[in-house]
Amino acid sequence: MRIIRHIPSRVLFNTIFVSVNILMASTRCSLSRSVQPILKRPPFSSSPRFAPKALLKSYPCPLWSSSFSFCLQTLHHSTSPYLSSSSSSFSSCSSFSPPSMASSFTVDDSIGSNPLLQDFDFPPFDIVEAKHVRPGIRALLKKVESDLDELEKTVEPSWPKLVQPLEKIVDRLTVVWGMVNHLKAVKDSAELRAAIEEVQPEKVKFQLRLGQSKPIYNAFKAIKESPDWQSLSEARKRIVDAQIKEAVLNGVSLEDDKREQFNKIQQELERLSHKFSENVLDATKKFEKLVTDKKEIDGLPATALGLAAQTAVSKGHENATAENGPWMITLDAPIFISVMQHARNRALREEVYRAYITRASSGDLDNTPIINQILKLRLEKAKLLNYNNYAEISMATKMATVDKAEELLEKIRSASWDAAVQGIMLNLVYFWLKRLPIFRSLIYHMNHFPQCLSI
């Protein structure tokens, strides 16, 4: 596929790489589908009307949890007088259900009071701090490792004895780790980065052990090979098939030496991905444009002006106001989106857009070496799993295929290529011609003496 020469290859490659990773991350199928939680508990202190006692009691099912639908189902079963006791044997609704997480960690008071280990319906973002990450994640890993040991000893090829307890283990870690990483994305600090970086290898080690568990893998295979397979719903068949495929992609079938090499690759990929994200985040925070003339940001809504002024205040411009400025334009999503959607100043939109799509592509934050290393390791991983390339691994858990994806890309390219090249060529011609004195003179007369056009 041809690439437009006038676009820097490094910029284009970085942009494609990030886009493909976002697409792959959003479509990867696994047992746990926990969404990184973004909700915050509302303040109840100001008015008795909003006191917890005045609110209706909600289901003890975390809405953001992958277990939510199963939770509601089991809650309904456990309260229905028409269902037998066997159908409600798994009556624990929340993935953080009694016995509570906090009661499971009795090492010391600091562990027991860690907000990452408390029972909650919504993530307590307001009280989680960097100091909670190391002890909280390590205590949680110790607990889920113990749960995994117990599951491997007692596992049976049945839904209640395999899928349900496995989902609780996966969901518990996914929710807490997702909460910590979300805080890093929106409330970044050196202390939080250091804490996450320190415990991340331990988290990856557990995930590898879980993904390569032979007892769990064999139990899923036994379900598929059992006479009851045809009686399962399509959704449950899909879960079983996905788990078997995921186990293979996690290296469960590899021999010891190849599995060790696979695990080293996974650890390094996780580290590189973490560094990649940090560079993008730092590059996002690095861009700042102070605007003092309101005409330059004409079109921005009042909310965006207020936010830009508030940002300016935080950067040392104490007298900044939404009405009179100055305004600080950054690449943070609320301001970036407002500029791209509402700013009438085309030059401003172009400057902000170019800064956004070229983040972490040069200087100390350049992600190019990281991208090259990731591509190298992904190819090694694919070869270990007997795939030709990483694209085949990605498509192994999707409905599409590599050939179909390439066919779609080619259709898009062929349909848009001529128009794109024509537009770029016209812009280049105008870009160079407007630097010629005679052309500038012509533009001036066309703008100021339109009657000349009739000559």
Side-chain angles (χ1 to χ4, degrees), residues 170-233:
V170 174
D171 184 68
R172 178 175 299 182
L173 179 60
T174 303
V175 167
V176 174
W177 186 254
M179 178 169 61
V180 170
N181 273 277
H182 178 72
L183 273 176
K184 176 175 170 288
V186 300
K187 197 178 179 182
D188 187 36
S189 68
E191 294 79 9
L192 185 57
R193 284 191 181 190
I196 293 176
E197 185 175 349
E198 186 174 324
V199 297
Q200 182 171 269
E202 301 170 35
K203 189 266 298 185
V204 176
K205 183 179 179 180
F206 171 77
Q207 288 179 321
L208 287 169
R209 188 209 155 181
L210 177 64
Q212 296 169 358
S213 171
K214 285 288 183 68
I216 293 176
Y217 173 64
N218 292 333
F220 274 112
K221 288 178 64 179
I223 290 179
K224 186 167 184 177
E225 296 167 0
S226 70
D228 297 330
W229 171 252
Q230 296 302 327
S231 64
L232 292 180
S233 66

Side-chain angles (χ1 to χ4, degrees), residues 16-51:
I16 293 175
F17 180 84
V18 174
S19 302
V20 170
N21 272 278
I22 292 173
L23 177 62
M24 288 166 51
S26 64
T27 54
R28 189 72 182 262
C29 178
S30 63
L31 178 66
S32 178
R33 292 282 187 150
S34 298
V35 178
Q36 287 193 358
I38 57 172
L39 297 176
K40 201 169 185 179
R41 293 184 298 179
F44 293 115
S45 58
S46 59
S47 172
R49 177 180 177 184
F50 295 101

Side-chain angles (χ1 to χ4, degrees), residues 12 161 206 215 230 243 262 358 438 455:
L12 184 64
K161 293 291 187 177
F206 171 77
Q230 296 302 327
Q243 281 301 296
F262 178 92
T358 57
I438 187 172
I455 299 177

Side-chain angles (χ1 to χ4, degrees), residues 52 72 87 102 198 213-214 249 291 352 354 374 382 385 399 423 444:
L72 288 183
S87 66
E198 186 174 324
S213 171
K214 285 288 183 68
L249 296 179
V291 177
V352 173
R354 287 185 179 276
I374 287 176
L385 296 174
M399 295 177 64
Y444 175 83

